[in-house]
Structures are given as C-alpha cells and as structure tokens.
Amino acid sequence: MKNIWLNRTDLLQANNYIYGDGYNADFYYDVLNANSIPIEGFIRAYSAQKELHGLPIVELKDILGENVNILVTQNKWMDVLDFLSEVVPENNIYTLGNWREGEKCIVCGEKHTIKAGGAFLPFIEARMFAGNRVETAIVHCSKCRVYYSEYRPDDEEMARLYTGYRNREYQEQRQKYEPSYTAEYNEWLSDSSVIMQRKKGIYDYITNFIKDTSNWHTILDFGGDKGQLFPDEWEDKQRIVYEISKPDVCEGIKLVSDYSELSSYLPDLIMCNQVMEHVSDIRGYFANLIKLLKEGGYLYIEVPNERWCVDLEYVRFCEHINFFSEKTFRELAKQFAVELVDVRISNDGLVLRSLFRK
Ligand SMILES: [Zn+2]
C-alpha cells in the first residue's frame, strides 16, 4: 500500500483507476485532477453507470493483469482493503489517506503493518487519561488483518475507564461528550431481551460444534460481568464469573475476583464475550485464557464485527482499541498451538465468533 503523495511520480506515467463509490470517488477525482495525476477510469462496486466525469467505469476483473494502479478511496472499510490486496499486487495499491509503514504487529509479530492518524474520543481522554491528550494511530496488519490503536493503555488507565463501568456516574460523564449516550440507552444495553438474544446466539453457536455437553462440569465466563450470559441450558454446571470489580452476580453464579484462585477450576469451557476488543495485551490475554482451560476444553471468544470509518486519514477510538478479523483468530490459534474449531461472522453480521480447543 503506497501513499499517493509520497509516490506521486510513479503515478504520472501509469494507468490509474479510482476504486470506490459515491462521494469518495468524486472527491478523489477532484483532488487528483487538481494535482495533475492522470486517471483512466473508475471501478465501482454498486453502480450501473458506465461513465463518470467523461471516463469509463470498468470492472476490476477486466483490468487485472495489466500494469494498473488502483487508487483506493475506501481504505476506511477493512474488507475493501483486504479484498484488494488479495487480487492486486500491494505495490499497485495507493491510498490518499496518510498511511505509512508501521512497526511489528502486536498479534502476529510481523512487520506487515501500515498506520494512519488516530485519536481517542474526548470522553476517553477525560475518563481514561484523566483529561490528558494521548497520541495514537490506527494500525492495520496485512498478515493477520487486525486493526488496532497504536497506543496501548496501561493497567492504571484501564482501571480508570472500567471501574464503575456503565454505572450512573459513567453514563453521565459519557453523555456530556456524547449526547446520544442517554440513561435509557445505557439501560437498554443490559435489557433482558438483548441478553436473551446474546445467550441464545452463544448457545446455538457452541452446540453446533459440540453436540454433547453433558459431561461438562465447569464453565467460566472470563470478564463476564454479573454472569448474565450463561445459557440457561447449562444451569446444572458449575458457572463461574471472573470479575475483579466484584459485581453482584446473578443467582447460581459463583464470583471469583482473585485471579490466583482461578487455576484450580480447569473449566471445560471458557467464554470471553465482547472483552477482547477492549484489552491492551491481546496475545497475553489469549495465552492466559488457554492456560486456564482444561486439557481438551473449549474456548469461546466473541467480539463485535465492526465496520467503521477512518475519515480519509483519521480514526477516533472509543473503548474498542482492537478490531479483529477471522484471520486474526487463525493466527492466534497457530501461535498458541490450539485447534481452531471454527471462526465466523454471525448471520446478523453483528459479532465475530470463534471456538478453540486446547
Ligand atoms: Zn499481524
């Protein structure tokens, strides 16, 4: 992936196509045109149009194999970028965004990363960083396909953000910066119908691969809040929630808040629901979950399947500092020598689920 401005001379003698739809393509065209960068045509996924600005709209497959450059307008959508780098040599992909070479990837350890500008949202600066500005960037790894914030909050910063998570003070502080984060919305997040749906999703997914769970004895929900996400079907199991914040847990759930206690349980299943997108040390966190698991036991990890915008060269982070793809979980399984039973995006597109076996 090359930055258009840093490699401008390469583009002056080339067949350049703008890849992307709508406003972005028009915007790009104007910027490139004003800078005398020649454009041969457009590639648009969702258009029946044949022409734009007097130039042809072609299909990617029709120009592949020629010596062409693709100027991506939608580097902000991870799928576009990943899709393109599979079919077009990376050397021929350009972006207008200020992507530059990054450091070693925090998941796979390889130096296949690019990074662009990023910042934490004002609410995060106020709460997590006690009002201080912290510099960060959005990093993307083309090998394991993860996106993450370059700045990794430390334990003290994490504690500031998550102590009293979603309580009244949290909600009020957040609403000051994000008017739509109302008390009603905050309530809705733990609404029973939402929880029911999530529980069902977890149960259906796991039992799709493990038909017989009758011999399971212990299930651990790591970072599982009050333990509200244990499927009802597993009521007969020992159900443990690990939470350092010591919440009032649901009936029948055992709370463990002392980490050293955990190693004695050897769970048959560990669930980690929508936590990994928040953690600083992805590898360490994963390694720890595997370590706690019984030999032959299963690990279920669920993260949001997020599609978000990097305005041409900027992303703003809220609480999520990691954005995973299927490939990221494949990479983790490989690194820690565990079996990846399955990884997939849910049918409703909302979450990315993965199941591992130790
Ligand atoms: Zn990587």
Side-chain angles (χ1 to χ4, degrees):
M1 177 90 53
K2 293 180 182 171
N3 180 284
I4 285 173
W5 307 122
L6 299 180
N7 298 276
R8 187 170 177 278
T9 49
D10 300 3
L11 294 168
L12 296 177
Q13 304 295 325
N15 296 326
N16 304 313
Y17 288 85
I18 295 179
Y19 186 97
D21 289 293
Y23 167 81
N24 286 317
D26 285 334
F27 175 76
Y28 249 47
Y29 176 79
D30 290 342
V31 172
L32 297 171
N33 208 26
N35 284 276
S36 308
I37 291 176
I39 305 297
E40 295 295 314
F42 293 85
I43 302 164
R44 318 190 85 179
Y46 306 107
S47 176
Q49 248 177 292
K50 292 278 173 263
E51 201 186 284
L52 191 64
H53 298 292
L55 297 170
I57 295 176
V58 298
E59 288 197 43
L60 182 61
K61 64 176 171 57
D62 296 336
I63 55 161
L64 284 180
E66 295 173 37
N67 186 22
V68 295
N69 292 316
I70 307 296
L71 315 187
V72 187
T73 66
Q74 282 157 320
N75 56 12
K76 58 188 181 183
W77 296 109
M78 62 172 99
D79 290 351
V80 170
L81 215 150
D82 293 341
F83 159 72
L84 272 178
S85 51
E86 263 167 24
V87 287
V88 180
E90 215 153 311
N91 228 12
N92 296 102
I93 305 174
Y94 289 76
T95 75
L96 185 63
N98 194 22
W99 291 97
R100 55 201 190 278
E101 209 176 307
E103 311 301 320
K104 280 185 180 169
C105 168
I106 61 168
V107 176
C108 70
E110 301 270 343
K111 206 166 180 292
H112 288 287
T113 63
I114 49 171
K115 63 180 183 177
F120 289 99
L121 283 172
F123 162 69
I124 298 294
E125 287 186 349
R127 189 173 171 98
M128 191 183 228
F129 302 124
N132 296 310
R133 185 77 206 267
V134 170
E135 298 295 323
T136 190
I138 174 84
V139 182
H140 177 59
C141 173
S142 59
K143 187 172 171 242
C144 72
R145 304 276 165 88
V146 65
Y147 281 77
Y148 57 89
S149 157
E150 184 172 55
Y151 182 82
R152 313 304 290 170
D154 63 23
D155 290 349
E156 193 183 323
E157 289 160 342
M158 284 290 187
R160 272 196 226 117
L161 176 58
Y162 294 114
T163 304
Y165 191 52
R166 291 187 182 161
N167 69 10
R168 196 187 156 105
E169 181 264 331
Y170 168 99
Q171 182 271 317
E172 286 173 354
Q173 186 181 19
R174 186 157 175 181
Q175 195 178 13
K176 262 198 278 176
Y177 298 93
E178 297 166 40
S180 62
Y181 200 92
T182 58
E184 293 72 30
Y185 176 74
N186 196 47
E187 291 269 298
W188 175 82
L189 291 170
S190 46
D191 186 84
S192 59
S193 63
V194 176
I195 299 297
M196 286 292 288
Q197 276 300 107
R198 287 187 60 191
K199 271 162 49 163
K200 184 175 176 345
I202 294 167
Y203 182 79
D204 290 350
Y205 176 77
I206 295 177
T207 54
N208 203 13
F209 302 99
I210 310 161
K211 303 285 179 214
D212 182 10
T213 59
S214 60
N215 60 345
W216 282 2
H217 183 261
T218 302
I219 304 174
L220 167 66
D221 192 348
F222 198 89
D225 192 21
K226 302 181 175 80
Q228 65 273 37
L229 287 175
F230 285 104
D232 301 338
E233 290 85 349
W234 293 330
E235 251 176 24
D236 58 328
K237 318 285 181 203
Q238 172 172 241
R239 292 162 296 157
I240 304 168
V241 151
Y242 175 68
E243 269 295 345
I244 41 173
S245 62
K246 300 185 186 168
D248 294 328
V249 293
C250 306
E251 210 191 315
I253 309 294
K254 181 180 169 59
L255 172 70
V256 174
S257 53
D258 177 0
Y259 178 77
S260 63
E261 246 184 70
L262 275 184
S263 59
S264 60
Y265 291 102
L266 296 173
D268 300 279
L269 171 71
I270 298 181
M271 308 196 292
C272 184
N273 289 304
Q274 308 203 10
V275 177
M276 282 196 63
E277 65 277 16
H278 300 258
V279 308
S280 271
D281 180 8
I282 296 173
R283 275 210 288 219
Y285 205 85
F286 187 84
N288 187 41
L289 294 171
I290 296 294
K291 194 179 85 187
L292 293 170
L293 200 59
K294 176 178 135 178
E295 204 58 49
Y298 292 89
L299 167 64
Y300 169 73
I301 296 179
E302 176 182 313
V303 292
N305 174 34
E306 290 174 304
R307 300 283 183 268
W308 86 107
C309 269
V310 180
D311 315 314
L312 291 169
E313 49 183 273
Y314 226 68
V315 66
R316 289 167 180 84
F317 295 97
C318 191
E319 292 169 351
H320 298 179
I321 55 173
N322 311 312
F323 307 90
F324 297 87
S325 80
E326 291 96 320
K327 218 167 174 180
T328 321
F329 288 114
R330 277 190 207 112
E331 177 65 29
L332 283 168
K334 203 171 88 191
Q335 277 188 32
F336 291 91
V338 288
E339 181 194 342
L340 178 68
V341 178
D342 184 71
V343 57
R344 72 178 66 186
I345 292 167
S346 60
N347 290 338
D348 58 13
L350 295 178
V351 294
L352 176 59
R353 306 182 195 279
S354 55
L355 189 63
F356 305 83
R357 184 163 199 231
K358 184 176 178 180

